[in-house]
Amino acid sequence: MSKTKEKKSYSVRSAEQFNKWRSFFQFLVCKCFYMIRLKLVYRLEVNGRENIPKDNEYIICPNHLSTLDPPLIVAVFPRSVAFMAKKELFDIRFLRWWIDWLGAFSVNRESLAPSTIKTVLGIKKSKWVLGMFPQGTRGVPGEIKGISKGFAGLAKITKCAILPVGIIGTNEVKRLPFSGKIIVNIGKPIPYSSNVDEMVKAWNKSIEELSGFKVVEDKAVNGVSNG
């Protein structure tokens, strides 16, 4: 199989590919192994679980501080979560296998491609839920910048609500028991609408309240954000 075909296969996913085997692998890795670390080392605290919709017609949209954020979100939420991953990560053989089995799919972070839309619609047909970071990359504590409009565009296209999630503390690398503290604050869902800019503004306001960080105004881009 050529590299071109291989990359393409990781960007287009059907509902059937978000199956019980990937769900089990994700459960084992994130809800078991990672959760032990999160509770033992970071004293994980989760607020707002009552705001999580019962169905899967929503997009989880947290702020982004570290590589620990995706498994953290999976560990916290009741459903399996499919995260977008930049296509370059699928060039690394072992990492490609690992994130593939964890349910990630490849995206071009520069644009919202038709393959991304097809995959997101496939997720909606499955029992999984989509997770994506509106920030273009990992940020620093205290500020949120580099926000892409891609998450709001997908909410509009798929008619899914946006669920803001504030993450605090994952940037601090800790190893000793009870030496760290991670707080996850889950906000109220933001209903989808035809106005992308209004959805972005609503997420900005909510994420500031949930994280305590300040949104730094810059020119939002139309591309797809990922870790």
Side-chain angles (χ1 to χ4, degrees), residues 92-105:
I92 306 170
R93 182 172 296 179
F94 175 77
L95 184 58
R96 178 173 65 229
W97 174 87
W98 181 256
I99 60 179
D100 170 36
W101 270 95
L102 284 174
F105 61 99

Side-chain angles (χ1 to χ4, degrees), residues 24-154:
F24 176 74
F25 186 73
Q26 192 179 83
F27 176 89
L28 191 65
V29 172
C30 299
K31 294 183 184 293
C32 294
F33 296 131
Y34 266 100
M35 186 58 86
I36 292 173
R37 178 187 176 193
L38 291 169
K39 288 188 173 182
L40 182 63
V41 176
Y42 288 101
R43 296 175 296 146
L44 175 64
E45 176 185 327
V46 182
N47 305 302
R49 290 184 189 271
E50 67 277 6
N51 294 322
I52 302 175
K54 301 300 182 184
D55 57 28
N56 72 332
E57 296 187 1
Y58 62 97
I59 302 173
I60 303 172
C61 295
N63 61 301
H64 197 10
L65 293 173
S66 82
T67 55
L68 187 58
D69 296 338
L72 166 67
I73 292 297
V74 174
V76 166
F77 276 76
R79 290 179 179 270
S80 296
V81 184
F83 272 101
M84 296 179 175
K86 59 185 179 181
K87 62 181 182 179
E88 291 80 7
L89 295 179
F90 287 86
D91 292 335
I92 306 170
R93 182 172 296 179
F94 175 77
L95 184 58
R96 178 173 65 229
W97 174 87
W98 181 256
I99 60 179
D100 170 36
W101 270 95
L102 284 174
F105 61 99
S106 170
V107 296
N108 182 344
R109 65 193 308 169
E110 302 299 327
S111 64
L112 186 59
S115 60
T116 301
I117 297 172
K118 289 180 181 179
T119 298
V120 172
L121 289 172
I123 294 168
K124 188 177 179 182
K125 292 178 183 177
S126 72
K127 294 182 179 180
W128 290 49
V129 66
L130 173 66
M132 61 186 298
F133 299 100
Q135 291 169 263
T137 187
R138 293 187 294 275
V140 297
E143 65 178 32
I144 297 173
K145 62 181 181 179
I147 300 169
S148 166
K149 293 182 180 181
F151 73 104
L154 281 175

